Amino acid sequence: MNADRALPNVRVLTAAPLPVGPRLARGWRITAYEAAGAVARLGRGSRAVDALLAAPRVRQGAFVGAWNPLSRMMPRRWNDRMLDRLRVLARRAGLRFLDGRGRATRPAWAEEHLLIFGDLRPVIVLARRFRQHAVLRVRLRAPSRLLVLR
């Protein structure tokens, strides 16, 4: 599948990305990413997310998870342990974050995430460590963009 046509708000950060099938592409398009009541959607700006970014005086952040590595379903308890580990590593790295969630209704789907504020380089390192396929970058007064890592 050509990710450029299927996902126009995507930036691929790897020379040889894993194939993105239509189900995964659709999942990214229909997911609402939420933290502290603010909702971000792929390719759209959000005043509520802008307010979250403005509070700690940062211009960007990213929704990143530790659940379901490489988009493969894992048991809830395993996913929760990995998210707890992500929180520990984010704190250890001095990163500011809020708990968040990604969810869609058709099909019903939800995953826990963190919205990590600031420089994306350490966020991308963490996302790759937890074998995440992508992160959703949010920027002040700009549409969100999916950064494909694998």
Side-chain angles (χ1 to χ4, degrees):
M1 168 177 225
N2 183 341
D4 293 339
R5 275 198 342 247
L7 296 165
N9 295 294
V10 170
R11 181 170 174 217
V12 178
L13 301 182
T14 182
L18 294 174
V20 175
R23 288 182 65 201
L24 184 55
R26 181 177 184 277
W28 285 333
R29 279 193 314 266
I30 67 171
T31 296
Y33 298 85
E34 181 271 331
V39 176
R41 292 184 183 275
L42 179 60
R44 298 183 195 170
S46 166
R47 289 184 181 166
V49 171
D50 287 350
L52 289 181
L53 295 172
R57 297 186 178 175
V58 297
R59 297 191 53 77
Q60 66 181 348
F63 284 89
V64 61
W67 280 28
N68 303 322
L70 298 176
S71 303
R72 293 189 182 104
M73 295 296 289
M74 297 296 286
R76 173 71 191 238
R77 288 176 57 183
W78 188 92
N79 283 330
D80 287 343
R81 282 195 314 272
M82 292 301 103
L83 187 64
D84 287 343
R85 184 75 181 139
L86 176 60
R87 282 188 192 99
V88 167
L89 293 175
R91 279 190 198 101
R92 191 176 293 161
L95 300 172
R96 292 174 289 174
F97 63 86
L98 294 172
D99 286 325
R101 171 178 275 226
R103 74 178 85 205
T105 55
R106 288 187 165 177
W109 170 88
E111 245 183 47
E112 303 295 322
H113 292 90
L114 300 181
L115 171 56
I116 301 179
F117 299 106
D119 184 8
L120 295 185
R121 290 173 293 190
V123 174
I124 289 169
V125 168
L126 286 172
R128 285 186 169 138
R129 180 172 183 170
F130 286 90
R131 297 177 291 151
Q132 296 301 293
H133 203 107
V135 300
L136 185 75
R137 180 187 74 189
V138 291
R139 290 176 51 190
L140 199 58
R141 294 183 294 282
S144 63
R145 178 173 275 183
L146 194 74
L147 303 179
V148 177
L149 309 175
R150 297 185 181 268

